Amino acid sequence: MLKSISSYLVLVVFFVLINGCKQKPVETDSKTETEEELVQRALEIHKRVLTLDTHADTPLRMIEPGFDMAERHDPKETGSKVDYPRMKEGDLDAIFFAAFVAQDIRDDDGNTRAKALCHQMLDSVITSTERNADIVGLAVNPDDAYELEKEGKRAIFIGIENGYPIGNDLSNIEEYYNKGVRYITLVHSSNNDIADSATDEKGAEHGGISEFGAKVVGEMNRLGIMVDVSHGNDSVFYDAVKLSKAPIIASHSNARAVTEHQRNMTDEMLKLMSENGGVVQLTMLADYLRTAPPNAARDSAMAAIRAGMTKPISELTDEERSALRKSFTELNEKYPNPPATVQHVADHIDHITKVAGIDHVGIGCDFDGGGGIEGVFDASEVMNITIELVRRGYTEEEIAKIWGGNLIRVFKEVQLVAEQLQS
Amino acid sequence: MHPLRLSLCEIDYTEQKELLTINLKLFLTDVNEAILFDPNSTELAFCRPNEAANANRLLMEYVNRFFFVKANNERVNLKIKSKRLSGKGENTALWIYFECKQSDPIRSLEIKNAIFTDLFFDQNNIVYLDIDGINKSLMLNKRTQIYELIF
């Protein structure tokens, strides 16, 4: 898969030279198009449209001592998926950096800690944009994305993943808004005081959005902050549709009919999202994109190692433990789970487009939060999504909607509702 | 479970109480993978009535390899004060609580937190610090394992 536009062009030339005559022609309206021409056309579209990724947990990276967004990082070595050089390589014009605060104890101490961490991450994003003002800019309004693109700069929007740092004080929401926050994901992997999580094994606590959560939604509407239902259980989605006076978003969720996962959205929800005028942003989390089949070969190989052990693992020496770890690592490398690919991404986009319509789908990769698949492993590879969409016949107008137009439309409507509520 | 590999660590110090407390919150599946090479093992039965006699020893052997706190350049002797479980299923967390007498005011604090970086290249370990009212959060990982604060 491609690593960057520049390296791709080198590959294209190489490919044409040695394999050009073997390419399968692709029929278009005007002429027969080779694979290389299709890719070139896709890259040009990718460059022309606003490319906006609505979800990256990069602010967590920004509180790593010494981490510099202006440096290029190796994702395989560091785990980092986004920095400014790689956004440029992937021609990713805009991104929402989400300040992610993991759910912890729901008391005053926990809330205070969560708020402090949230502010620290928000400040880190702001500082980073100020330090790199020649290549990026802090964006707080929808049109900022286009303005910054014209200036040749990446637009950095801010969100918050998990409403936990709101604590039980509604005034915190305006504090976050004033720092540039333009969406808040109501809940994360465990229930909080605002809403129920899709993945809390204790089950529902509020039956969707709590009474306090309803006030949170109202305050977000008043300020012009998008209500994000990703990570919420199904009832949270239905409650949000009823409660919110503005269209809602799912900043990183997929289609459940394509991949059965409680984090994904049912067709009924997709249709309702369409009626709501909101948008579902496709995410690059492997488990939400495809169901991995059982890995029998790896499991039996591991079982064989365990069966051959002469003493319990808890009695191994450090050297023996290291050797065992190495064996297991080698087995995982020898028998990897089949990867999620950009084809899976496009399958979900196809489905959501069919069920909800082209105006209600977008992209939120969840880089630095577990997102990253074969072919779209980090920000430098996002053009591969566009290539696959072009291959499947999506027009430039449709791709522009998917890559940012739809989200910007919702963002504008949310701001309009806020103006009406404040007037 | 969120595919983000994460652990939390809370370090608090109050000069008046002469007390340094450390709270580690680790996913239980990660603990079992690290110690027993099996995320779903129930062999050590942490915090259960049938907790294995060697559970704390094995836990601390692992923790001490990847985690330390040095106050005024002296490594804090970590002894488990208490443990508890929270959450359910894959979200089950093991909390490990340490309490250490710290008579001298803290002038410097060095923290290493490389827990689970031997298992996952993208492990993120968030550290919350509250040192006599000075609050700071940081993220340590495989690349940046150690951080020192001077007061």
Side-chain angles (χ1 to χ4, degrees):
Chain A
M1 273 296 175
L2 311 184
K3 291 292 173 196
S4 67
I5 288 177
S6 54
S7 60
Y8 181 74
L9 290 173
V10 174
L11 274 177
V12 167
V13 172
F14 176 71
F15 210 57
V16 169
L17 284 174
I18 65 166
N19 277 325
C21 60
K22 295 178 187 170
Q23 294 310 295
K24 194 180 280 184
V26 176
E27 292 296 329
T28 65
D29 290 346
S30 55
K31 63 182 179 72
T32 301
E33 189 177 46
T34 66
E35 175 69 7
E36 289 76 30
E37 287 167 342
L38 181 148
V39 169
Q40 188 56 43
R41 182 163 62 89
L43 293 176
E44 286 164 8
I45 290 172
H46 188 78
K47 196 154 194 64
R48 280 195 296 269
V49 304
L50 175 76
T51 49
L52 166 60
D53 174 353
T54 50
H55 194 78
D57 288 317
T58 309
L60 200 55
R61 285 268 155 199
M62 293 184 189
I63 61 166
E64 177 192 334
F67 186 84
D68 186 351
M69 286 293 291
E71 282 178 16
R72 191 187 197 286
H73 302 82
D74 180 345
K76 297 270 169 62
E77 283 293 316
T78 65
S80 158
K81 303 286 179 72
V82 181
D83 48 42
Y84 300 141
R86 280 179 290 168
M87 282 183 73
K88 188 176 181 186
E89 284 173 36
D91 210 348
L92 184 58
D93 299 316
I95 196 163
F96 270 85
F97 283 150
F100 162 65
V101 183
Q103 189 61 47
D104 204 347
I105 295 170
R106 289 156 58 183
D107 60 13
D108 286 348
D109 282 350
N111 293 343
T112 302
R113 223 185 271 279
K115 184 178 173 180
L117 174 60
C118 188
H119 272 295
Q120 194 177 326
M121 285 191 280
L122 299 179
D123 292 341
S124 298
V125 175
I126 294 165
T127 303
S128 171
T129 57
E130 288 169 351
R131 280 188 189 151
N132 297 283
D134 55 329
I135 51 172
V136 300
L138 188 65
V140 294
N141 293 309
D143 285 334
D144 292 348
Y146 298 104
E147 295 299 322
L148 286 160
E149 190 188 15
K150 277 184 207 160
E151 293 173 30
K153 295 180 182 178
R154 315 283 142 196
I156 308 300
F157 291 98
I158 307 179
I160 293 176
E161 183 176 25
N162 196 1
Y164 176 41
I166 294 169
N168 48 24
D169 184 351
L170 285 179
S171 71
N172 284 326
I173 301 172
E174 189 157 1
E175 265 187 46
Y176 298 138
Y177 176 85
N178 290 338
K179 285 204 171 170
V181 171
R182 293 298 181 266
Y183 79 69
I184 298 176
T185 315
L186 298 177
V187 66
H188 192 246
S189 56
S190 303
N191 302 337
N192 62 18
D193 291 337
I194 297 168
D196 291 330
S197 169
T199 51
D200 193 325
E201 296 200 23
K202 283 181 286 190
E205 180 180 329
H206 311 292
I209 294 178
S210 69
E211 275 184 41
F212 175 68
K215 291 177 186 168
V216 168
V217 170
E219 181 66 354
M220 288 167 69
N221 285 164
R222 185 186 74 81
L223 291 165
I225 298 177
M226 289 180 278
V227 175
D228 177 17
V229 295
S230 284
H231 282 288
N233 68 8
D234 291 2
S235 299
V236 168
F237 168 80
Y238 291 110
D239 282 355
V241 167
K242 279 184 203 156
L243 289 166
S244 178
K245 294 181 173 64
I248 63 170
I249 66 166
S251 69
H252 57 304
S253 295
N254 297 351
R256 204 178 297 176
V258 182
T259 306
E260 176 64 35
H261 194 292
Q262 67 269 40
R263 273 280 284 106
N264 291 342
M265 301 177 74
T266 65
D267 284 358
E268 185 184 76
M269 292 159 82
L270 293 174
K271 284 175 191 162
L272 199 49
M273 186 64 109
S274 175
E275 289 173 26
N276 172 268
V279 62
V280 181
Q281 304 285 109
L282 249 291
T283 196
M284 308 298 132
L285 284 152
D287 287 349
Y288 305 172
L289 285 168
R290 58 97 180 91
T291 304
N295 196 333
R298 182 193 61 194
D299 292 348
S300 62
M302 285 189 172
I305 289 179
R306 289 180 194 280
M309 290 174 64
T310 55
K311 57 183 173 181
I313 286 176
S314 57
E315 292 177 17
L316 296 179
T317 64
D318 284 353
E319 290 74 23
E320 288 167 335
R321 296 181 70 82
S322 296
L324 186 59
R325 176 68 62 204
K326 188 163 176 279
S327 301
F328 281 3
T329 302
E330 284 169 358
L331 281 182
N332 279 322
E333 287 167 1
K334 187 175 177 185
Y335 303 108
N337 282 329
T341 66
V342 71
Q343 284 77 31
H344 293 114
V345 175
D347 289 346
H348 280 263
I349 292 176
D350 285 349
H351 184 80
I352 296 174
T353 302
K354 188 174 139 200
V355 174
I358 190 68
D359 294 325
H360 305 285
V361 60
I363 291 166
C365 294
D366 204 2
F367 289 139
D368 291 330
I373 56 170
E374 187 175 280
V376 194
F377 193 66
D378 68 6
S380 73
E381 298 186 336
V382 295
M383 80 293 275
N384 287 320
I385 298 170
T386 308
I387 293 170
E388 183 62 20
L389 292 176
V390 169
R391 185 173 284 120
R392 292 194 183 196
Y394 285 83
T395 66
E396 179 165 346
E397 185 188 2
E398 291 169 332
I399 290 168
K401 287 182 175 185
I402 294 168
W403 254 126
N406 290 334
L407 190 283
I408 293 289
R409 181 200 74 236
V410 173
F411 195 176
K412 285 181 175 175
E413 288 177 29
V414 167
Q415 286 200 335
L416 191 63
V417 168
E419 281 172 26
Q420 289 164 352
L421 290 172
Q422 289 179 32
S423 64
Chain B
M1 193 178 121
H2 196 295
L4 186 64
R5 303 292 188 181
L6 202 67
S7 82
L8 299 180
C9 170
E10 303 164 353
I11 301 176
D12 292 286
Y13 169 69
T14 317
E15 189 175 341
Q16 196 179 13
K17 293 181 185 170
E18 299 184 345
L19 200 63
L20 181 70
T21 64
I22 300 166
N23 224 341
L24 280 176
K25 183 185 182 186
L26 312 174
F27 279 117
L28 185 61
T29 49
D30 296 343
V31 174
N32 283 320
E33 175 64 27
I35 298 175
L36 298 169
F37 297 77
D38 178 1
N40 301 311
S41 172
T42 54
E43 186 181 323
L44 296 179
F46 287 108
C47 306
R48 307 286 185 201
N50 59 329
E51 181 177 291
N54 59 351
N56 277 358
R57 177 179 63 77
L58 291 168
L59 178 62
M60 287 313 298
E61 279 178 4
Y62 180 80
V63 168
N64 281 321
R65 281 175 62 203
F66 295 96
F67 179 86
F68 68 63
V69 174
K70 288 181 184 174
N72 302 334
N73 297 318
E74 281 189 32
R75 185 164 174 158
V76 173
N77 185 21
L78 297 175
K79 281 187 183 166
I80 297 173
K81 173 93 172 172
S82 62
K83 301 196 304 289
R84 67 183 175 90
L85 295 176
S86 70
K88 279 196 169 183
E90 286 188 319
N91 286 328
T92 304
L94 174 66
W95 293 77
I96 316 164
Y97 179 68
F98 308 96
E99 229 178 53
C100 320
K101 182 81 175 165
Q102 179 65 38
S103 304
D104 296 334
I106 291 183
R107 298 178 304 279
S108 71
L109 201 68
E110 187 179 339
I111 303 124
K112 173 180 176 177
N113 194 346
I115 281 180
F116 303 142
T117 57
D118 58 326
L119 309 179
F120 314 119
F121 79 101
D122 53 354
Q123 175 72 23
N124 297 309
N125 295 320
I126 296 175
V127 180
Y128 297 111
L129 295 166
D130 184 345
I131 308 300
D132 244 347
I134 299 172
N135 293 290
K136 186 173 175 64
S137 305
L138 53 133
M139 203 265 279
L140 298 178
N141 54 27
K142 191 166 192 165
R143 189 179 74 149
T144 306
Q145 301 188 356
I146 297 176
Y147 186 70
E148 185 176 14
L149 284 125
I150 310 288
F151 299 97

